[in-house]
Amino acid sequence: FDMMFDDIDSNLRELGVGDISVGKKVKKLAESFYGRIKAYEDGLAAADDEKLRSTLARTLFRDAAATDTALDAAVAYVRGQAAYLAAQNDDALLDGRVTFSSVETLIGEGVR
């Protein structure tokens, strides 16, 4: 997280954003980031898929019209990856040894 926002800060400066504006822009991006994290956590914690589904429709697909098939696949993928990550060894995660499941494993062949 810190490295990501340090990089964003550096890139904004390279793009010519003034020193006074950089902090405001980074703060806005951080608020958006934390808001999405909270929305994804709430969606994953919900008993049904509706909250996660609406969050993904709003954040992943934004202005694009998402089909039911695409939303179903996105929900299956996010839930599957969350479960896959939760099953990994904490020490491996802390050491930066993170693996992800394949898309095909989580949502099936032919769904893209």
Side-chain angles (χ1 to χ4, degrees):
F1 173 85
D2 290 340
M3 289 173 59
M4 177 181 71
F5 278 98
D6 284 345
D7 187 56
I8 290 170
D9 184 285
S10 295
N11 281 294
L12 287 170
R13 291 175 194 282
E14 284 181 26
L15 291 169
V17 175
D19 287 340
I20 295 171
S21 298
V22 169
K24 292 176 186 174
K25 291 185 183 297
V26 170
K27 180 180 178 182
K28 185 175 180 181
L29 289 169
E31 288 171 351
S32 177
F33 176 77
Y34 280 120
R36 282 185 170 84
I37 295 262
K38 176 79 168 107
Y40 295 140
E41 285 176 342
D42 291 349
L44 284 167
D48 64 19
D49 289 336
E50 278 314 303
K51 191 169 213 159
L52 182 58
R53 191 178 170 85
S54 67
T55 297
L56 290 170
R58 186 177 67 255
T59 60
L60 180 63
F61 292 95
R62 296 187 59 147
D63 296 330
T67 65
D68 286 339
T69 301
L71 279 169
D72 290 344
V75 167
Y77 178 79
V78 170
R79 284 203 183 279
Q81 287 298 4
Y84 190 81
L85 289 167
Q88 291 182 43
N89 179 295
D90 289 343
D91 290 332
L93 293 173
L94 291 171
D95 286 342
R97 291 178 282 128
V98 180
T99 60
F100 293 88
S101 183
S102 72
V103 172
E104 293 80 14
T105 299
L106 298 176
I107 63 174
E109 296 287 336
V111 179
R112 298 271 171 166

